[in-house]
Amino acid sequence: MTDTYTLHLHNFRSIRDAKVEIAPLTVVYGPNGSGKSSLIYGLLTLKNFLTNPSQNLASLFSYPSISLGGWQEVVHRHAVDKEVSLSIGFSNNTEDFSPRFTLTLGQSGGSAEVAFEIIDRDHIPVWPERLDLSIAIPYDANQQVDHNVKMVGESGSASLEGTLIWNGIALSTQTSGGPGELPVLVRLLNERINLPMELARQTGFVPLRRGFSKPTYGLSSVTSALATEDEVASLLASTSERFRQYDVSRYIERIAHRRVMTQAQIGTSVFTIDSIPTGSGVAASIVNEGFGINQLLYLLTICLYSPFKIVAIEEPEIHLHPSMVRELARAMVTIAANEDRRLIVSTHSEVFVTALLAQIAAGEASVDDISFILAENRDGESTFTPQRATPDGQIEGGLGAFMASEVGDLAALLGISD
């Protein structure tokens, strides 16, 4: 794995300062109130700003299924004079530089910054280390800052000068053309320098709630947020996404022994989502399935939505039988690998974690593709400690977040006093 995504949050809710690398599958576990959800909400705040910067502070802290409130509720220890900093970065050891986007928020305004770690000064001799804009919130994206840049071709004989323009939500490099391979280099640079912002924009979210609540749906437009059940249902029924429906059904069959089909009512845009048990049983509308299968279908549809690069998922094990939790863990490893997706999962499930470790021990998953992070809250401040897995499926330092209470129960059952 050469691509590294990094999330850095400062003074956000219970997080005073935390920096977390996002692996293909990042599993965050720990006690209630330890800050697991805050990692996810920080990323969603970045998405909210970058997709619609003309929102007030309270709207930036509002996500599908939950609103965190206003500034005083969100800033660390309710210290309204502090600033909240949210950052996402991308690096690749084969690229020319590593870009990072940072949104800083205060009670009366903020700033939007993009910074670069320049790796190859031979080919990019003139490039800024950072560009910064002080902005009002809401922000109308009506400001910009410019910087001169210069690029040199592989042969070193041809060079190209231009201007890098930053408006707080996107970057562009404007040049007057150039010889040989340089125009191609400019196009690649424009893609790379915008990667952090695009990663935040292309983040999906699976909240902790029942997925589908209606027996019928009408086709509706699907937005980049994919924030409502009507959008998710329409995605399943969309003609352009019909092959994705087959993928969702294949995973549902593997995990829950169900097939899923959408059925349109002839002559209308109304359709149903049906669940059909494999082998035998009675078909049912998805709304009449149990909470677990209903939410599982919702989760898989979002995870498999191709525009998303990152998907944040809150406690996917809720209402699932342990055998289904194990299969879901296997499916998530497959989705992360085959769909080029980064999944961030908060969980309280020891079964989910041990199922992932079993895949590592069996050689079905790599220790580099799954990261385990222990979240803890100490005196009102969240900490996130990486717990590296070993090739034999063990966690360095042990699964203390789960095992400590179990050991206490065993001691009581066995009458062990010490």
Side-chain angles (χ1 to χ4, degrees), residues 35-48:
K36 300 185 297 297
S37 293
S38 292
L39 277 179
I40 291 173
Y41 297 157
L43 180 57
L44 294 179
T45 302
L46 286 173
K47 177 187 174 103
N48 279 349

Side-chain angles (χ1 to χ4, degrees), residues 21 33 41 60 69 77 81 95 122 136 145 167 192 245 264 266 297 333 340 357 382 391:
E21 286 191 6
Y41 297 157
L60 292 178
R77 296 189 183 277
D81 57 329
E95 302 286 2
D122 291 334
V145 60
N167 71 350
R192 294 172 189 169
Q245 181 189 145
I266 297 175
L297 175 61
V333 170
D340 189 25
L357 293 172
S382 294

Side-chain angles (χ1 to χ4, degrees), residues 45-64:
T45 302
L46 286 173
K47 177 187 174 103
N48 279 349
F49 174 78
L50 288 165
T51 53
N52 182 12
S54 60
Q55 302 180 71
N56 59 29
L57 277 175
S59 296
L60 292 178
F61 304 134
S62 181
Y63 327 110

Side-chain angles (χ1 to χ4, degrees), residues 172-195:
S172 63
T173 306
Q174 295 185 358
T175 65
S176 57
E181 77 276 14
L182 287 173
V184 176
L185 175 61
V186 171
R187 287 197 297 272
L188 291 174
L189 284 176
N190 279 329
E191 292 178 6
R192 294 172 189 169
I193 59 182
N194 281 287
L195 270 171

Side-chain angles (χ1 to χ4, degrees), residues 153-167:
E154 292 289 339
S155 63
S157 59
S159 65
L160 180 65
E161 296 184 2
T163 304
L164 180 64
I165 299 172
W166 170 237
N167 71 350

Side-chain angles (χ1 to χ4, degrees), residues 95-107:
E95 302 286 2
D96 297 319
F97 54 73
S98 301
R100 183 181 69 253
F101 169 76
T102 302
L103 174 66
T104 301
L105 298 171
Q107 192 172 16

